[in-house]
Amino acid sequence: QVQLVESGGGLVQAGDSLRLSCATSGRSFSNYAMGWFRQAPGNSREFVAAISGNGGSTYYADSVKGRFTISRDNAKSTVYLQMNSLKPEDTAVYYCNAHSLRVGSDYWGQGTQVTVSS
C-alpha cells in the first residue's frame, strides 16, 4: 500500500517555472516506477512523464519534452516534476502515480492544481 501526496502547484504566468513534488509513504519505494499525469477540464487524464525505479530511464509526452524534467530521490521516497517554460495549455490538475513493478498495480495521489495564465 502506497500513499502519495502532491504539492507545489499554483498560479503562474506563461514562461514561468514550477516544481511539483510527490511524497510517498510505504516500503520499497525503488520497486515503483513513478509518473505524472494531468487532467484538464473536459479532457481525459493524459500521460506527462515517468521514471523507472532506479531513475535510470525517463519518458515524456511530446507536448512537454524539453520543458519538463522528472526525477526521483529514493532516499526521500519523493518524485519531482520540474516544469519550465510553462504554457497556458499546461493548465491542469497534476496527479502523481506509483506503479508497482512487482504486481503491476497503480496508486494515485489526490492531485495538485497548476494554472498558467498568459
Side-chain angles (χ1 to χ4, degrees):
Q1 310 305 137
V2 177
Q3 300 296 131
L4 305 92
V5 180
E6 302 98 331
S7 63
L11 173 63
V12 298
Q13 294 183 347
D16 286 351
S17 298
L18 280 175
R19 189 178 76 158
L20 306 183
S21 297
C22 175
T24 70
S25 61
R27 303 175 68 86
S28 302
F29 178 67
S30 64
N31 290 149
Y32 292 86
M34 300 295 297
W36 289 95
F37 292 72
R38 66 188 183 186
Q39 186 168 16
N43 294 144
S44 299
R45 188 171 298 185
E46 66 173 335
F47 169 78
V48 175
I51 188 167
S52 60
N54 288 331
S57 299
T58 57
Y59 308 88
Y60 298 93
D62 288 342
S63 59
V64 307
K65 192 172 297 183
R67 299 188 298 120
F68 291 9
T69 302
I70 188 171
S71 62
R72 67 191 295 160
D73 185 339
N74 284 358
K76 295 183 177 180
S77 298
T78 300
V79 64
Y80 306 94
L81 184 67
Q82 176 66 230
M83 305 184 294
N84 297 330
S85 302
L86 283 162
K87 305 175 180 179
E89 305 93 273
D90 296 318
T91 296
V93 177
Y94 283 70
Y95 297 92
C96 182
N97 167 262
H99 179 76
S100 173
L101 301 177
R102 182 176 66 88
V103 299
S105 56
D106 287 279
Y107 303 88
W108 296 90
Q110 294 301 304
T112 184
Q113 177 71 49
V114 172
T115 302
V116 185
S117 63
S118 56

